[in-house]
Amino acid sequence: VCLWAEGANKMSSTDLSKTMTTTHIEGRRLLDRASRSSVTLSDCGDGGYSETEPMLAERRLSGEEADAEEEEDEEEGLGSDVQNMPKESPLAMALQILLPFLLAGFGTVSAGMVLDIVQHWEAFQYITEIFILVPALLGLKGNLEMTLASRLSTAVNVGKMDSPIEKWNLIIGNLALKQVQATVVGFLAAVAAVVLGWIPEGKFQMSHAVLLCSSSVATAFIASLLQGIIMVGVIVGSKKTGINPDNVATPIAASFGDLITLAILAWISQGLYKCLDSYPYVSSVVCAFFMCLTPLWIVISSKHPASRTLLYSGWEPVITAMVISSIGGLILDKTVSDPNLAGIVVYTPVINGIGGNLVAIQSSRISTHLHFHCAPGEVPDEAKGCYYPCRTFFGANHRSAQVLLLLVIPGHLIFLYTIHLMKSGHTTLTPIFMSVYLAAAMLQVLLLLCISDWMVHSMWRSGKDPDSFSIPYLTALGDLLGTALLALSFHFLWVIGDQDSDVGD
């Protein structure tokens, strides 16, 4: 009996020691995580990692930290709580991207046809500066809708939308933030159109400037609200059906975006132009009404930490992207003013929209990859050092880059043939025209994919959330590159002898 009691006493002492050791290790781990979270939250106060932290339940571990914790868990028989990134084959990725890509492409084709028609309306004929607004307002889908889609896609993939309360707080806060940004960007786009269009020529009419401002603000507000509601439905539906929202959300965000925005802009501009002589005060009232709603959206967006942070820090990319798109609009305005090159109009939304859609998918996927595998401020080993183009197509996200690049030529061929069948554009699809156009489209997407890889990793390294900062820049650059390359293509066609209605209108 004494021997049994002594053995039991030793056994209980050993178990107690193991239990205390396990408790100590677990407590140490919890304290370490708490200390990391407290450091991160303190950094938010001075702008350290404020853009990335509201999206994640806790800070993602770097590669070494995650491996160390996995080893500890294996040694102690505990499961790892690090969420694994969803796996998908190139075929599954291509199939998920293909339908939204085609849908978005047909949306841009429709927008090009609408622009080809409305360019002959009185408002567009007498106030040609509206053409400067077109890329800036169409670019709102990249500045706002695609950014919203990318943020919510990342939130879905990292589990931040599993809780119904958190999900709807995140959605409502981001929608309100988007309305604030749309109103402000619409107003600034009108100011840029006035500066770029009228001031250099020494011509300025106050009534036309007010009409331009009213049209821009009203279009941005209404189009952003409609597209935001559609976007939320797509994100929630993707989550329920098990589809990766990174593959479908950004293209669907642009599928009807261009068409809706352009139709609203044309309708409002023409309506206000007809009221210009008989009711000159209508334009001012419309502008004032939408501007006065801004404080309401600010109050709503400030209720959620993620949107409140972006309400203060998210203006730089949106405004910069608007300026870049406006420069593309100036190129479009000058090109359309040349009767020999007026046929460019129908193709501008197509090449700009397709390039922006594809690079937004890549940017969203790279951002999600970084959210899973790296802490803010840290980048994977392959992204360290100087950037080189081969990294884009042979690095961590090379398969998606290759798939997206392979979609360019088949996609544009389908869209060109659609325009031809609809007898729009006044440009015959000759072999030389198609070759020059496809070369411009391929070069645009190739440059955008390389810029995207470099930009997203650079922003993550500096502590900025690429979901909120990269897509506005990339889609604006897509507008500028697309418009510039398309204008050069039409000038090239004109120089080599295609000088009849095949190029002109």
Side-chain angles (χ1 to χ4, degrees), residues 65 106 153 165 190 197 202 220 247 250 302 366 410 419 429 436:
E65 292 172 331
F106 287 124
S153 297
I165 296 177
N247 292 337
T250 50
S302 63
I366 297 174
I419 293 174
L429 296 184
V436 172

Side-chain angles (χ1 to χ4, degrees), residues 89-103:
S89 65
L91 179 60
M93 183 196 313
L95 291 177
Q96 288 185 16
I97 293 173
L98 183 60
L99 182 59
F101 170 72
L102 293 176
L103 186 62

Side-chain angles (χ1 to χ4, degrees), residues 79-338:
S80 174
D81 61 346
V82 178
Q83 189 177 0
N84 293 322
M85 190 170 180
K87 302 291 184 182
E88 52 187 343
S89 65
L91 179 60
M93 183 196 313
L95 291 177
Q96 288 185 16
I97 293 173
L98 183 60
L99 182 59
F101 170 72
L102 293 176
L103 186 62
F106 287 124
T108 59
V109 169
S110 302
M113 294 178 182
V114 170
L115 186 60
D116 188 43
I117 295 172
V118 301
Q119 67 171 323
H120 303 292
W121 289 10
E122 291 181 348
F124 287 80
Q125 289 284 323
Y126 294 101
I127 309 178
T128 59
E129 287 72 20
I130 296 177
F131 285 107
I132 301 178
L133 287 178
V134 170
L137 293 180
L138 296 186
L140 284 178
K141 72 177 186 298
N143 294 355
L144 305 179
E145 274 72 34
M146 287 185 178
T147 302
L148 173 67
S150 183
R151 285 202 301 266
L152 295 183
S153 297
T154 299
V156 167
N157 284 325
V158 301
K160 284 294 289 180
M161 294 184 70
D162 294 338
S163 168
I165 296 177
E166 180 69 12
K167 175 177 72 174
W168 288 111
N169 284 339
L170 193 65
I171 289 172
I172 293 173
N174 276 279
L175 285 178
L177 170 68
K178 199 161 69 71
Q179 292 307 114
V180 176
Q181 292 177 328
T183 305
V184 174
V185 171
F187 177 77
L188 294 178
V191 174
V194 171
V195 173
L196 294 175
W198 281 316
I199 301 299
E201 298 178 1
K203 300 177 182 179
F204 179 77
Q205 296 186 38
M206 179 58 70
S207 60
H208 287 184
V210 174
L211 184 148
L212 208 62
C213 181
S214 301
S215 301
S216 180
V217 171
T219 299
F221 184 94
I222 297 172
S224 180
L225 183 61
L226 292 175
Q227 294 174 72
I229 295 172
I230 295 173
M231 204 64 264
V232 169
V234 170
I235 296 292
V236 175
S238 298
K239 183 178 183 297
K240 290 183 178 180
T241 56
I243 296 175
N244 185 357
D246 279 326
N247 292 337
V248 300
T250 50
I252 292 179
S255 58
F256 298 108
D258 288 344
L259 180 60
I260 291 174
T261 303
L262 194 54
I264 293 175
L265 175 64
W267 176 67
I268 292 178
S269 300
Q270 183 68 12
L272 293 178
Y273 183 80
K274 289 184 176 180
C275 296
L276 203 58
D277 294 330
S278 54
Y279 305 100
Y281 58 86
V282 172
S283 296
S284 301
V285 172
V286 170
C287 184
F289 171 75
F290 288 106
M291 294 295 291
C292 288
L293 292 176
T294 304
L296 173 64
W297 301 117
I298 292 176
V299 171
I300 296 174
S301 64
S302 63
K303 300 295 184 181
H304 192 273
S307 55
R308 182 171 62 247
T309 301
L310 293 172
L311 188 62
Y312 297 102
S313 63
W315 292 100
E316 174 195 340
V318 173
I319 294 176
T320 306
M322 181 273 300
V323 174
I324 296 173
S325 296
S326 296
I327 296 174
L330 181 61
I331 296 174
L332 178 62
D333 182 30
K334 299 302 181 184
T335 307
V336 171
S337 300
D338 186 350

